[in-house]
Amino acid sequence: MAELLPDPVFFASLPKVYASGAVILRDQEDRVLVEKPTYRDHWLLPGGHVDPDEDVRETARREVREELGLVLEVGRLLTVDWLPARPESGRPMGVHFVFDGGVHDAADLEARIVLQESELEAWRFVPEAELGLLSAWGRRRALAALRVLRGQESADLFGFGGS
């Protein structure tokens, strides 16, 4: 029996999707590490967009290494967020994965962090009440991930449909 090959016309007709991987990195006081990029008005969780042929967990690991100079194991998947396409802006659909970056000694991390100055201007630990520094969608992701870490809900696939 002949092997069926993928239909290139079918695959070309599918919508484009971009993906990103980020981490929730916490200190002993349950504060969350956030970073201020040079190219956005709001703060972000450490992470970034998936490179071609890259596993999303590896993306999160790579981005933490590139942005903060930290070599960390990236733990379990906490949340997945799907965002719809925005044809008016040219943005395709997106899927964003947030992983557990673990709990770390704040002083130890402060001594080890080497900020990627070409992309980031600052980083800091913030309590949950200050996660409003993130964009609305970033805050929702971070809060959902914290609920999963506390056992208040299980990891789930969900979409906010936000900006």
Side-chain angles (χ1 to χ4, degrees), residues 32-93:
V32 176
L33 191 146
V34 295
E35 53 190 34
K36 176 62 177 80
T38 57
Y39 53 89
R40 294 201 189 258
D41 293 334
H42 56 267
W43 293 64
L44 299 170
L45 295 174
H49 291 97
V50 175
D51 285 343
D53 298 323
E54 184 177 48
D55 173 87
V56 71
R57 188 183 306 271
E58 179 54 36
T59 297
R61 187 178 303 116
R62 173 184 52 77
E63 288 285 342
V64 168
R65 185 178 64 247
E66 289 175 1
E67 295 173 349
L68 302 171
L70 299 174
V71 177
L72 298 176
E73 283 304 311
V74 174
R76 71 183 174 122
L77 176 64
L78 300 173
T79 63
V80 180
D81 180 19
W82 171 82
L83 294 174
R86 284 195 148 165
E88 69 281 1
S89 70
R91 185 186 79 185
M93 289 185 283

Side-chain angles (χ1 to χ4, degrees), residues 69-147:
L70 299 174
V71 177
L72 298 176
E73 283 304 311
V74 174
R76 71 183 174 122
L77 176 64
L78 300 173
T79 63
V80 180
D81 180 19
W82 171 82
L83 294 174
R86 284 195 148 165
E88 69 281 1
S89 70
R91 185 186 79 185
M93 289 185 283
V95 62
H96 305 277
F97 299 82
V98 179
F99 296 93
D100 184 3
V103 176
H104 302 271
D105 179 85
D108 177 59
L109 283 188
E110 186 165 345
R112 293 176 30 216
I113 287 179
V114 178
L115 202 61
Q116 182 184 30
E117 292 179 1
S118 63
E119 285 191 30
L120 301 176
E121 57 188 64
W123 71 273
R124 66 182 183 184
F125 281 106
V126 297
E128 185 174 334
E130 292 180 30
L131 288 174
L133 288 171
L134 304 171
S135 66
W137 47 262
R139 181 176 179 275
R140 285 189 299 257
R141 284 182 199 142
L143 292 174
L146 290 171
R147 287 192 303 273

